[in-house]
Every structure is written in C-alpha cells, then in structure tokens.
C-alpha cells in the first residue's frame, strides 16, 4: 500500500498520523502495530474508549494490527471478570484483535531475564531501603538525589538477592529492584526508579508462581518491544515517562526500528468521573446499581443505556488527537447519539406521564387503525398501525388549564392535532381533590384525518390509544453528577457529595402495541431486545432494558430529543457553581432532523421556504440550523438581525441553535426580553476577545430573562478576560499560598500539579483568567520562589 502523503492532506491530519505517515514514507517500519493495554482492575470507561478508537482505528486505517494486552502486573486488584468485560466492550465497539491477545504475565520470565541482564551490566541493583527512605533520597526539583547505602552492591550480591526475592525469602516491602541511572537527573522519574517489588499475592493467571512483579515503567516498554509494536500511544500524564521507556529499551539491547512512545490528550467529560478508584467506590458503596448502571461512564453502562457504538466512536473521534487537555460537555455525546439514531430508529408513540382523554363524540365501541410511517423521512418507509378508540392517553406536560401566552398545546377550549390522527378540542376538565387534572373530555373533528382544517391549530402532540396500550416502566436517566467537576474546590470535598438526586426518574407510562410486537419478534429471532432502539415521537430515544421480563417492559431513555439542562436558580443546597454550570451548558435544542412542524410552517409560507434555502446556499448554514431558524418569521427575523450585528451568519446561527433556543419559553423569541441585534452584539464581543464564550453564555441567559445591554453586563459583572499581570500575580500568589503541600509536591517533581493550580486560579477569577498568562505566572512563581 502506498502511504505517500501530499502536503495539503498532511496539513489537516493530527500529529500522530503525521508521524506515522512520515515513518512509512521513510520505510522505518514495514507496517503499523499499535496496542491497547488496559489493566484488568475495573470496567472500561469513556476515557478508554478514546484510546480503543484511536489504536484500533489506526491499525485499520494503515492496514496494520492492534494488540489487546492486559497489563496484569498487580495481583491485588486484577480479576478475570474484568478481562472478560473488556473483551466484550471492545467487540461491541466494533473492533477485534484477531490472534493478538496478550498478557503482561505472559512475559514474566522474559522480563525477569532482562532485569538480571541489567544487573550484570551494573544498571540495576537490589535496595533494602524503605519506601519512605527511597522517596526522600530522590531529592527535589532543585536538589539532586543521593545514593542509598545499597546502591553500590556488587553484581554478584545483587543477582543473589534478586533470585532470593523471586524465591520468596523476603516479605513484602523488604527489598526492591531499582534501575541505576542518574540521581541528578532533572526528570525525577530517572532517579533510580523501582523496577520490581515483592508482593506475596495470588495472581488470577499465574497463581502463586511469582511473588515479585514488575512495575509499569519497566514492563510496558518491554512488552511493546517483545510484540513488535511500532507506535506506543499513551496519554499526556506519561510524557515524563518517555525517557525511562527509551532508557530501558536501550539498556536491554533493542535496536532500531523499535517501539517509541507518543503522548496525546486524554478524554475528559464534564459532570463525569473517570477514576477507577472512584468508580469502584460508587459500585461497592451502592451509589449505583453496578458497573453497567446506565448512569455510569463505563462502556457497559453506555451500552445498557442504549448508546449505539457508532455514536461513541464518532464522539471519540470528534475529541481529536492533540497535545492539549480539554473537557467536553456531555451534550456532545448526546448530539452524536441523536445523529446516529435519527435515520435508523423506528418511530413509535409513547406517553411517559399519562393524562387520560375521553372523546365524548366518539362512537361507542368503535375502533380505528391509523397508519403511520416507521421512518418519516423515508418516502418508502413501511408503516405501522396505531389503534384509536374513545379513550386516549396524552402526556400531562401537553395540557395546561391556564396556558401561558403562545401556548401551542392543549388547553380548555383549545385544539391540537394528534400525531398521525385527528384534531381534538378540549371542552371540560375533571380534577382530583387537589385541583390536578385527571381526565379531559374532548371532541374530535372527523374531517381532519390527513388534512388541515381551514382554521389555525395550536400544534401536534403524541398520544397512545387506551385500548391495547402497553404499560411500560420508563427509566429517565440524566447526569450522575450535578457539578461539572465532581469533588473539585475544597481540598476535603468528597465527590459523592456532588451526586445528583435527579440522575434517574422511574415513572409508569404507555406505548403503542406495535412496539411490544417488535420486542417479541426480536426475542423470537434470538436477538437481544435491549439492542432495540426506538424514537418515541416528541419524547426521545429509548431502548429496552435487560430487566424487562416477559410482557413487563422496562425502557431506558437514551437521550431526550432536546437537552433538558436549562437555566434556573440552584436547588436548595446547591452552590453558585451549580447555578453557573446549569446556565453555561451547550444546548442541543431540538430533534436532530427536520421538524414536521417547521416543514409544515414553511409549506404554508413561501417566504420561510425561501429563507430556508438561502441560509444554506448563500450563508453556509447546515440543514439543521436552517430548519431551526425558519419555523416562523419571528425567529428568522431575530436571527437575521443577530447575523447583521455579529458580522457573521455562521457564528450567529451557532449561537441561536446551540445556546439561545434552549433558553426560550415555548412561545419562542416573540416573548423574550432581548432582541436579535443585541444577541449579535454579544457574539461580536466574543469574536473581538472582549468576553469569553463561557462568560457570554451567562450574559445571554440574563439578556433572555431581563434584557439589557451586553456591554453593560460585562462591565458590571467584571466578565472581561483577566490578562493584566498586575491583576493575575496576586491571584496566583494567593492560590499557591493556600496549597503549600501541593507546592511542595510540585517542587519535588510532580509537574502535573500545574493543572490543579490553573483550576484554582480559574475558580478565583470566575473562569476569566487568560490561560496562557495564568500558566506563565504559575510556573514563574513556583520556579522563582523554590
């Protein structure tokens, strides 16, 4: 295969692919070999998914191979259960390792011999110093390490002691094998790192054959070399480990071409934790139902929730392969879920919070079967039959006894269309003793099936016929945490304190009988019913949970049709951070397809249809954006005023589609306190760098609620970016003074703590600190004051 890459193509590729392209062009390697090396001490999660997609994806792209290798060098935490779950997860994601399933434990004997060879070369020694003594002797960032008494043992003594360590003569912690490298190295990892430790524990594969186990830095590079891996990809926290990776391979005699390590940014997601230690705690202490709880970020949990593997692959690819750590909003994954499911998920009607309707003019005992497409966007779609009789269920959210201005759903005296059915009018309401609606009495218009009446109708709502309705338990899942960074802030903060009490709601509702038939057909065919995904029209995407038993159906909500994270005051006990987080979430504001309602509106108004086409053709908007902005003239005119003031059609459209529409009441832009021109001026301030996008979202939320001038709000709340040295220096000093223990750790070699200090500076400045300037002050003060 010809891997020559032209300059233009290379310019748009990530740095890993550019490296591989160059290596193949230079014929450094005959082919590409990657690996995915998890430790089997828990279930795979979103962070692992990015590595899986990258490593297996590269192997496919370059006609190479990717190895699955378990880094099973710690017998205290690893288990066969985890290896099985990981294989199932990788296959579900769509990848396979073929004949290349490996274990670090396969190489214990070979790694032991490499260690003995390093001892013979005088490059490794047995040290009986304690863990604390070794740590203290390593020195600090500004002071070199010093040798422990055992550093100059003879080769023969070291070989003898190492053999006796293997034979089990010493207890845990009595001795370690260390590399003999450079105690003055500026890279703390190179100051005689530990290669082997004693651990008398039963290994799930090797049993009690070994009581010494290699550490990651020693084992990982050797495993790569043994297997002929060409490009060893890991996340940025291992950047400083690259030097020891190369040193061990040099010392062990591996010549070029050989493996090399490359680091990329890991995947982080707001309102989510990826720490295995914390995930294990959630499971063991019963905060979730298990590793596959649909609220968990594990691949098993995402699968049970109903996330399609293609959506997860797209999400991981969309994060990119970069050298800069960033955190994504979970709405980005929701977007890909909708984008994948929209064209393939069959439609059905379902009511999550039922309210009974009786059609008082319906002939008693009469039953009709209405036709509806399984895929509305496909002209050749098969249809399903929806039974309709005198009794119906509608969603309680679609009725208001005292409707607000602009209400387009059902109310006393009002009319709506039943999707795929008739127009109905409510003429009376039966209430319970607390005044809550129990039953609506309505009439229907026989002339409106398949045609519009010559009068204005509020909108179309979903429903289920009471006769034959299938009872269903709905599990409505949401974010597991209410904070974007669970446990952040106070050093004593416990991440479980940030668990959201609303992360799941269990309610009883109904679905149309055709959906039960599809579940039954899947069972008869031997398919897993929980792989069946449907769109309940106007509600969201759902899948069948494995808890379903016989006719007792349980449906998990995968994602709603729109993002439910809207602005509002914090709940009791929530912090200002919670309030700010709720206001600044990016909103996916509608179903990821052309809306039937907006399509009908454009069909009735040629001017809207003209704008729909023009926005795409002349201004480069996507179909979805153009659809969202042309559902009525008020929205289109609001948008055009915003685009003119912003000086950019595409940026104004992005703000309208992703941010503004999710803040609007049902009546739309007609009732908000701001104008399109005002939104455009806010967008312009973001483009000019006068306010961050994050802060601008807070401004927008206030504009929608109360109106005002964006420049005045920015000035009043001090939202302009902080980049002035005189303002930043005291903030950084205050942060460093508040974290003396972490400052000491940084100066002892833990350079990763810069991220902690950055987070605290951002917190103190409300996210307004200029990142580059803040990082410069942090490193300057840490190094200068050391």
């Amino acid at each position: 295969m010809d891997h020559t890459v032209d300059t233009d193509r290379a310019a748009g590729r990530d740095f890993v692919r550019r490296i591989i392209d160059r290596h193949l062009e230079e014929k450094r390697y005959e082919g590409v070999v990657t690996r995915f090396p998890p430790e089997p001490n828990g279930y795979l999660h979103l962070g692992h998914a990015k590595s899986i997609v990258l490593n297996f994806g590269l192997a496919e792209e370059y006609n190479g191979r990717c190895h699955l290798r378990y880094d099973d060098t710690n017998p205290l935490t690893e288990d066969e259960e985890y290896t099985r779950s990981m294989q199932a997860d990788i296959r579900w994601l769509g990848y396979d390792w073929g004949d290349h399933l490996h274990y670090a434990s396969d190489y214990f004997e070979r790694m032991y011999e490499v260690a003995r060879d390093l001892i013979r070369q005088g490059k490794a020694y047995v040290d009986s110093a304690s863990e604390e003594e070794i740590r203290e002797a390593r020195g600090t960032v500004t002071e070199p390490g010093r040798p422990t008494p055992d550093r100059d043992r003879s080769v023969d003594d070291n070989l003898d002691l190492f053999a006796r360590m293997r034979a089990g003569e010493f207890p845990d912690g009595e001795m370690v094998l260390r590399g003999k490298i450079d105690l003055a190295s500026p890279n703390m990892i190179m100051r005689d790192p530990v290669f082997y430790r004693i651990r008398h524990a039963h290994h799930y594969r090797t049993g009690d054959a070994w009581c010494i186990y290699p550490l990651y830095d020693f084992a990982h590079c050797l495993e790569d070399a043994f297997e002929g891996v060409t490009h060893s990809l890991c996340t940025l926290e291992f950047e400083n480990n690259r030097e020891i990776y190369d040193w061990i391979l040099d010392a062990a005699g591996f010549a070029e071409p050989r493996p090399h390590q490359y680091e990329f940014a890991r995947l982080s997601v707001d309102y989510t934790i990826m720490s295995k230690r914390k995930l294990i705690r959630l499971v063991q202490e019963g905060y979730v139902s298990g590793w596959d709880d649909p609220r968990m970020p594990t691949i098993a949990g995402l699968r049970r929730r109903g996330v399609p593997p293609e959506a997860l692959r797209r999400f991981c690819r969309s994060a990119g392969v970069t050298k800069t750590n960033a955190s994504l909003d979970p709405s980005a994954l929701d977007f890909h879920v909708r984008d994948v499911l929209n064209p393939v998920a069959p439609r059905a009607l379902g009511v999550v919070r039922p309210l009974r309707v009786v059609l008082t003019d319906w002939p008693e005992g009469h039953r009709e079967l209405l036709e509806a497409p399984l895929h509305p966007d496909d002209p050749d779609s098969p249809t399903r039959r929806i039974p309709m009789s005198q009794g119906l269920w509608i969603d309680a959210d679609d009725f208001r006894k005292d409707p607000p201005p602009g209400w387009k759903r059902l109310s006393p005296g009002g009319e709506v269309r039943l999707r795929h059915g008739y127009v109905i009018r409510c003429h009376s309401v039966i209430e319970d003793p607390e005044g809550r609606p129990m039953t609506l009495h309505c009439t229907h218009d026989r002339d409106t099936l398949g045609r519009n009446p010559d009068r204005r109708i509020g909108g179309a709502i979903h429903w289920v016929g009471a006769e034959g309705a299938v009872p269903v338990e709905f599990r409505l899942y949401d974010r597991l945490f209410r904070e974007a960074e669970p446990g952040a802030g106070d050093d004593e903060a416990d991440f479980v304190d940030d668990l959201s009490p609303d992360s799941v709601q269990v309610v009883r509702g109904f679905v149309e009988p055709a959906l039960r038939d599809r579940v039954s057909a899947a069972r008869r065919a031997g398919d897993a019913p929980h792989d069946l995904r449907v769109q309940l029209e106007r509600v969201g995407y759902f899948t069948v949970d494995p808890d379903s038993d016989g006719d007792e159906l349980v449906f998990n909500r995968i994602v709603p049709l729109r993002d439910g994270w809207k602005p509002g005051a914090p709940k009791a006990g929530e912090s200002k951070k919670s309030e700010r987080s709720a206001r600044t979430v990016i909103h996916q504001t509608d179903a990821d397809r052309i809306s039937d309602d907006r399509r009908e509106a454009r069909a009735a108004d040629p001017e809207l249809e003209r704008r729909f086409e023009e926005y795409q053709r002349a201004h480069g908007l996507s179909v979805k954006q153009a659809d969202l902005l042309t559902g009525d003239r008020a929205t289109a005119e609001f948008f055009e005023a915003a685009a003119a003031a912003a000086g950019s059609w595409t940026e104004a459209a992005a703000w309208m589609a992703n941010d503004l529409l999710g803040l609007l009441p049902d009546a739309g832009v007609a009732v908000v306190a701001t104008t399109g021109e005002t939104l455009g001026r806010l967008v312009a301030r973001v483009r000019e760098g006068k306010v961050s996008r994050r802060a601008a979202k807070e401004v927008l939320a206030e504009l929608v609620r109360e109106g005002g001038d964006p420049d005045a709000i920015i000035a009043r709340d001090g939202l302009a970016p902080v980049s002035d040295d005189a303002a930043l220096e005291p903030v950084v000093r205050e942060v460093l003074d508040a974290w003396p223990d972490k400052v000491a750790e940084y100066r002892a070699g833990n350079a990763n703590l810069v991220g902690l200090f950055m987070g605290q500076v951002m917190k103190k400045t409300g996210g307004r600190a200029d990142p580059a300037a803040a990082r410069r002050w942090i490193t300057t003060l840490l190094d200068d004051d050391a």
Side-chain angles (χ1 to χ4, degrees), residues 106-341:
D106 291 339
Y107 308 119
F108 279 173
E109 193 65 50
R110 293 179 70 179
M111 287 189 279
Y112 177 76
E113 289 303 323
V114 170
R116 284 169 51 83
D117 187 55
L118 294 182
I119 293 173
R120 294 188 190 97
Q121 297 179 52
K123 295 179 178 178
Y125 62 98
V126 174
D127 196 341
S128 58
S130 68
E131 182 178 350
E132 182 179 348
E133 290 169 336
I134 291 174
R135 183 168 54 249
E136 182 182 348
R138 280 213 172 100
T140 66
V141 172
T142 57
E143 298 178 356
R146 53 181 175 77
T148 55
D150 296 332
R151 194 172 195 262
D152 294 323
R153 286 188 198 273
S154 69
V155 168
D156 288 343
D157 285 347
N158 281 317
L159 287 172
D160 175 64
L161 286 171
F162 191 47
R164 292 165 63 191
M165 285 171 60
R166 175 179 178 173
E169 291 187 24
F170 307 111
D172 290 4
E174 182 76 12
M175 294 181 178
V176 294
L177 181 72
R178 298 177 66 184
K180 192 174 185 179
I181 307 179
D182 181 3
L183 291 172
S185 173
N187 183 351
M188 300 289 289
I189 292 173
M190 298 299 289
R191 296 185 183 182
D192 290 13
V194 174
F195 288 166
Y196 270 86
R197 64 198 162 188
I198 302 172
R199 184 151 288 173
H200 292 273
H202 186 83
H203 191 280
Y204 75 102
R205 290 191 75 237
T206 61
D208 299 318
W210 292 86
C211 62
I212 58 171
Y213 292 92
L215 275 75
Y216 172 87
D217 280 335
F218 183 77
H220 188 72
C221 55
L222 292 176
E223 294 156 17
D224 285 347
F226 295 156
E227 295 174 17
V229 169
T230 58
H231 298 82
S232 183
L233 307 176
C234 59
T235 47
L236 284 175
E237 61 263 36
F238 293 99
E239 187 171 14
N240 288 339
N241 301 63
R242 190 192 322 142
E243 189 173 358
I244 187 64
Y245 185 104
D246 291 335
W247 185 93
I248 290 173
L249 293 187
D250 281 339
F254 288 95
E256 296 288 359
R258 70 180 193 204
H260 286 274
Q261 175 179 301
Y262 306 92
E263 306 86 22
F264 63 93
R266 66 183 178 184
L267 177 63
S268 296
V269 181
D270 289 343
Y271 304 95
T272 306
I273 57 170
M274 304 286 192
S275 161
K276 281 186 181 178
R277 175 180 57 83
K278 293 180 178 179
L279 293 176
I280 288 172
R281 181 179 170 194
L282 291 178
V283 173
Q284 291 181 343
E285 297 184 11
Y287 292 104
V288 295
S289 61
W291 285 101
D292 66 343
D293 188 303
R295 295 167 295 174
M296 289 278 275
T298 57
I299 296 177
L302 294 168
R303 178 179 182 180
R304 181 170 181 176
R305 186 166 183 161
V307 172
E310 173 59 22
L312 187 50
R313 292 195 296 268
R314 291 186 189 182
F315 174 65
C316 292
R317 294 187 193 112
S318 73
V321 184
T322 70
K323 286 280 191 178
T324 304
N325 282 322
S327 189
L328 301 180
D329 192 278
S331 62
L333 176 57
D334 293 348
F335 167 81
H336 290 291
V337 171
R338 297 185 185 101
D339 204 47
V340 168
L341 290 181

Side-chain angles (χ1 to χ4, degrees), residues 335 594 612-613 615-617 619-630 650 653-654 657-658:
F335 167 81
I594 293 178
F612 176 68
E613 298 295 337
Y615 290 172
Q616 299 171 69
R617 183 186 66 256
H619 302 300
L621 272 60
S622 70
V623 174
K624 294 171 188 175
Q625 289 174 326
D627 175 52
L628 284 166
L629 298 172
T630 56
T650 54
N658 296 336

Side-chain angles (χ1 to χ4, degrees), residues 692-748:
S692 70
R693 199 178 197 286
R694 174 182 174 184
K697 291 182 183 181
E698 298 186 24
V699 176
L700 178 61
E702 180 173 332
L703 291 173
V704 169
R705 292 194 310 269
E706 304 170 16
D709 176 68
D711 293 321
I713 297 172
I714 292 168
R716 181 199 70 196
D717 293 346
L719 298 177
V722 178
S723 57
D724 179 68
D725 287 348
L728 273 179
E729 181 184 3
V731 174
V732 174
R733 287 192 182 277
E734 183 181 352
V735 167
L736 298 183
D737 290 342
W739 295 77
D741 55 335
K742 300 301 181 184
V743 170
E745 284 186 38
Y746 171 87
R747 290 171 178 163

Side-chain angles (χ1 to χ4, degrees), residues 443-476:
T443 57
H444 75 294
D445 187 337
R446 297 293 298 177
D447 296 328
T448 56
L449 184 62
R451 63 170 66 95
N452 291 322
D454 56 358
R455 61 188 182 275
R456 189 173 184 84
I457 302 300
I461 65 173
H462 57 285
W463 58 282
V464 173
E467 183 179 335
V470 179
V472 168
E473 177 183 295
F474 289 108
R475 297 176 182 175
L476 308 178

Side-chain angles (χ1 to χ4, degrees), residues 43-66:
Y43 278 59
L44 298 179
H45 54 59
L46 276 170
H48 296 112
K50 178 178 179 179
S51 182
I52 292 168
V53 170
L54 177 59
N55 282 287
F56 281 94
L58 288 172
E60 288 183 354
E61 184 178 335
Y62 288 95
N63 292 329
R65 67 177 190 267
C66 181

